[in-house]
Amino acid sequence: SIPTAEYKSFKGKESLQGALEYIDSRPYDVVVKASGLAAGKGVIVPNSREEAKQAVRDFLENGAMGSAGEELVLERRLEGFECSVLAVTDGERFVALPPAQDHKRALDGDEGPNTGGMGAFAPTPRVDDAMLEQIRREVLKPAVDGMRAEGRRFVGCLFAGLMITADGPMVIEFNCRFGDPETQAVVPLLDCDLYEVLAGCAQGRLAEEAVKVLPNMSSVAVVMASSGY
């Protein structure tokens, strides 16, 4: 199994009371997530149970996220630091790219709400070689192998959004694409022909040696957003 936080899903207005009771029944704080596509803004990280309950009411009762919030996930709030690992795969073999960290909250000092990402940098020094190998072994390989075993062979870029906790890496989310803004920080570090790498994925012949990374280099991406973003 792939390590992730304890969670429970709730769908529709009829599940509102159950969701509120679930928050009270947990011995830990929860994160509120819209199950649908929400342009990177569907996650609420409350500072109290009352804030969590209000977010649930906003989603299920008031339609704050539209159709994206008709189903929500209440998930244990993990403690640690976030990182993102992108891996290219041909459905059998995979290669992890340099680990990145992005900054999701708007405003200086992380004072604002979550966004799709206000900037990113790579590689993050907080993920050393041993941790990256653990992510390969416990997260990426089981995901690629599991989808293939289920007859859903995945080819392309698998994005793992992770929380690195005291108990190791825990999956927050998977995306089946290059993630923004992490991609802007990761791709400039590649010292190879990205087309050839992706062609190798599509044609089932990905070779690990085809993916080369510039040594002793770092990359930073900053997002310029319009007011109100």
Side-chain angles (χ1 to χ4, degrees):
S1 63
I2 297 172
T4 190
E6 182 180 339
Y7 70 93
K8 189 170 183 179
S9 298
F10 298 87
K11 187 173 184 178
K13 289 184 178 180
E14 62 275 12
S15 70
L16 174 61
Q17 188 58 38
L20 297 176
E21 291 173 358
Y22 182 83
I23 292 171
D24 281 332
S25 71
R26 297 299 91 187
Y28 47 73
D29 294 331
V30 300
V31 174
V32 184
K33 295 183 174 183
S35 188
L37 295 174
K41 301 179 183 179
V43 178
I44 306 297
V45 184
N47 291 315
S48 67
R49 290 178 186 265
E50 284 309 311
E51 281 189 21
K53 290 179 180 180
Q54 186 56 53
V56 166
R57 294 187 188 97
D58 288 342
F59 281 24
L60 295 180
E61 192 171 45
N62 302 327
M65 297 300 299
S67 60
E70 291 176 356
E71 180 176 5
L72 59 80
V73 178
L74 295 179
E75 185 174 285
R76 180 173 186 164
R77 181 172 177 172
L78 298 172
E79 299 297 331
F81 67 90
E82 286 191 54
C83 77
S84 304
V85 177
L86 289 68
V88 290
T89 177
D90 62 6
E92 183 170 345
R93 294 161 292 272
F94 69 90
V95 180
L97 304 183
Q101 280 187 270
D102 74 331
H103 295 269
K104 297 187 184 300
R105 289 186 180 271
L107 309 181
D108 290 341
D110 286 341
E111 294 293 329
N114 267 358
T115 71
M118 301 307 298
F121 65 94
T124 171
R126 302 185 75 177
V127 177
D128 59 18
D129 291 344
M131 177 57 67
L132 187 57
E133 179 54 36
Q134 186 177 358
I135 292 167
R136 291 189 187 99
R137 184 177 65 251
E138 298 181 3
V139 175
L140 298 175
K141 185 175 179 9
V144 171
D145 290 350
M147 286 187 283
R148 186 177 67 253
E150 293 179 354
R152 300 180 178 89
R153 184 187 186 100
F154 179 78
V155 176
C157 180
L158 181 64
F159 175 113
L162 307 165
M163 182 72 78
I164 308 301
T165 73
D167 297 320
M170 306 280 279
V171 174
I172 300 173
E173 64 173 350
F174 281 117
N175 289 306
C176 51
R177 55 175 172 77
F178 283 96
D180 175 51
E182 291 90 345
T183 300
Q184 287 90 319
V186 171
V187 170
L189 297 175
L190 299 181
D191 190 20
C192 56
D193 188 334
L194 184 58
Y195 169 80
E196 289 296 333
V197 172
L198 298 180
C201 292
Q203 296 167 8
R205 55 173 179 80
L206 177 64
E208 185 170 357
E209 58 270 19
V211 181
K212 296 181 174 64
V213 178
L214 293 167
N216 304 315
M217 294 290 287
S218 299
S219 178
V220 177
V222 178
V223 171
M224 295 181 66
S226 59
S227 178
Y229 175 78

